[in-house]
Amino acid sequence: MAKTLSIDGKRLYSSLARLGKVGAYKDETAGVIGVNRLALTAADGEGRRLVTKWFREAGLRVTVDKIGNVYGRRRGREDHLAPVMLGSHIDSVPTAGRFDGCLGVLGALEAVRTLNDVKAATRRPLVVAYFTDEEGCRFGTDMLGSAVATRRLPLERAYALKDRDGLTVKGELKKIGFLGHEPVGRLRPHAYLECHIEQGPTLRHKRRDVGVVLGVQAISWAELTITGKSAHAGTTPMSFRRDAGLTASRLNAALREMTLSGRYGRDMRAAMGMIRLTPNMVNVVPGRAVCTVDLRNPSDALMAKAEADFARLCRKVADQDGLAVASRRTAKTPHVPFDESVQALIADRADRLGLSHEPILSGAGHDAQEWSRVCKTAMVFVPGERDGISHNPREFSTLKQCADGVNVLLGAALVLAEEA
Ligand code: HGY
Ligand code: MN
Ligand code: MN
């Protein structure tokens, strides 16, 4: 069955377009329509209700767990066997396109729709899922739903996480109607597969149809609180100032210099994505800066070295500037290798479909990195146009690129679903 089936690319693409209308906004900077479905906002709730409706229309039995992960189950011939799960996320960063995460969820749904079209049954049950707050940018830690479902993060700690307005995960889940009752941490799939856009330029530049994902690089997020002294911008002599904004800028520049130095490998990446100044006014020297540090490195050892060196640098700059710098770790995941047998299966399915493929390490974090702790897991990457730009409304993959990725996902899932 795996060799004959192919998905309905047009149906997949129109589902992506329809979901992309939820949380749509005109992005003045990018000059195109973007998507803002920040986790557990009303827009995320609307997107969830739409996708859950589609799950039910596809005959899936829907359950919602206590952290708001949504699972759609399709019976197998031997329904007692552990399922093959396919999934991703539908929450987004505030300046998103319509493919990040959504391709994996709607691609999995399209695989089910395709099986339904031909009334095909699989030995093992299939589960199609979307997980809560994969992006992590509202409540501060990424892959939240998957981390709780795979017991990396305790449920109560996740519930208590707050956004910058002091709203909690639990309260926001309840508000959008997705505070589920299913216990977390019990689901142990036979295997987990995820299709996702690459979010980078490699596959497109190498003209490869799909990526066989080797794993995910290490991720380290911290929040810095820099405390200086607010003062009059006109009357305060420069030598009297304790300018938290200046210290944040100096640390940001030093972070880039560290990253480009090569001391942490040539693939080290860093970003200070958020700098929030207080009082953030034209005529006040900022007395306080809260900023985020996002470090990425394929090597755990070099990541640890970079974290230690940056912490030392913060202390040194704080002393020089006469301010206090406090750092709080908000996310940390190691380099995660994916299962080699599942990678080989993905490559084999691509070959059978006449699709070129390339092994590639993921620069971005994904739900798959959490599920790889509980079952054999791998990912299929899809190339992106426009240098694979992502976390930007100009994110774009063609219908054929999406359909190719999902056909490989379907083929691999069908093989795994027949395994004893
Ligand atoms: O930050 C990431 O790598 C992912 O987009 N959550
Ligand atoms: Mn994603
Ligand atoms: Mn993302």
Side-chain angles (χ1 to χ4, degrees), residues 173-195:
L173 272 171
K174 196 173 168 72
K175 197 184 289 178
I176 64 168
F178 280 88
L179 182 63
H181 302 294
E182 285 293 304
V184 291
R186 290 187 194 166
L187 177 57
R188 288 291 172 271
H190 171 65
Y192 175 75
L193 288 173
E194 182 168 351
C195 180

Side-chain angles (χ1 to χ4, degrees), residues 49-283:
R49 281 186 292 280
L50 177 63
V51 174
T52 307
K53 179 167 84 72
W54 287 342
F55 278 15
R56 292 200 167 96
E57 287 168 356
L60 297 172
R61 180 169 62 82
V62 172
T63 53
V64 183
D65 74 12
K66 289 185 173 179
I67 193 65
N69 295 324
V70 177
Y71 305 91
R73 187 185 175 95
R74 184 176 196 266
R75 291 182 63 82
R77 293 192 307 271
E78 298 176 39
D79 207 46
H80 63 285
L81 292 175
V84 171
M85 183 156 78
L86 315 174
S88 193
H89 63 96
I90 58 172
D91 66 288
S92 81
V93 295
T95 56
R98 61 181 191 275
F99 299 91
D100 179 358
C102 303
L103 175 61
V105 177
L106 300 183
L109 174 63
E110 176 53 37
V112 165
R113 286 168 167 169
T114 301
L115 291 172
N116 290 347
D117 290 346
V118 296
K119 298 185 177 40
T122 53
R123 178 179 188 178
R124 289 177 175 274
L126 298 179
V127 169
V128 173
Y130 61 84
F131 307 107
T132 294
D133 194 9
E134 186 276 345
E135 292 295 359
C137 40
R138 180 179 176 193
F139 296 98
T141 195
D142 52 358
M143 276 71 78
L144 183 73
S146 292
V148 171
T150 56
R151 297 185 188 168
R152 173 167 68 85
L153 199 60
L155 177 64
E156 290 310 320
R157 181 139 41 104
Y159 274 165
L161 290 174
K162 289 184 178 154
D163 69 2
R164 60 180 66 166
D165 299 322
L167 299 170
T168 65
V169 164
K170 185 169 189 177
E172 295 301 279
L173 272 171
K174 196 173 168 72
K175 197 184 289 178
I176 64 168
F178 280 88
L179 182 63
H181 302 294
E182 285 293 304
V184 291
R186 290 187 194 166
L187 177 57
R188 288 291 172 271
H190 171 65
Y192 175 75
L193 288 173
E194 182 168 351
C195 180
H196 202 288
I197 51 173
E198 176 200 342
Q199 300 179 291
T202 306
L203 295 175
R204 186 65 181 81
H205 285 188
K206 292 192 168 186
R207 299 194 177 287
R208 294 287 189 278
D209 296 317
V210 296
V212 181
V213 188
L214 299 165
V216 176
Q217 68 176 340
I219 302 173
S220 168
W221 286 1
E223 181 185 82
L224 302 184
T225 302
I226 303 168
T227 309
K229 191 170 61 181
S230 58
H232 195 297
T235 58
T236 313
M238 293 307 281
S239 60
F240 284 33
R241 296 182 182 203
R242 297 289 176 268
D243 182 339
L246 176 67
T247 299
S249 310
R250 278 163 39 86
L251 287 174
N252 198 358
L255 190 60
R256 183 172 177 86
E257 187 280 323
M258 261 180 69
T259 308
L260 298 178
S261 71
R263 293 194 298 273
Y264 312 95
R266 60 185 170 77
D267 296 318
M268 173 83 197
R269 292 175 184 153
M272 191 175 274
M274 182 200 77
I275 300 178
R276 208 169 55 236
L277 299 180
T278 303
N280 212 28
M281 292 293 157
V282 60
N283 58 353

Side-chain angles (χ1 to χ4, degrees), residues 83-89 104-105 127-131 146 189-195 338-339 342 346 366-372 374-379 409 416:
V84 171
M85 183 156 78
L86 315 174
S88 193
H89 63 96
V105 177
V127 169
V128 173
Y130 61 84
F131 307 107
S146 292
H190 171 65
Y192 175 75
L193 288 173
E194 182 168 351
C195 180
F338 285 148
D339 180 280
V342 182
I346 289 169
H366 298 289
D367 293 298
Q369 70 187 75
E370 303 300 326
W371 290 98
S372 68
V374 299
C375 65
K376 57 184 182 179
T377 293
M379 292 181 75
L409 177 82
L416 292 166

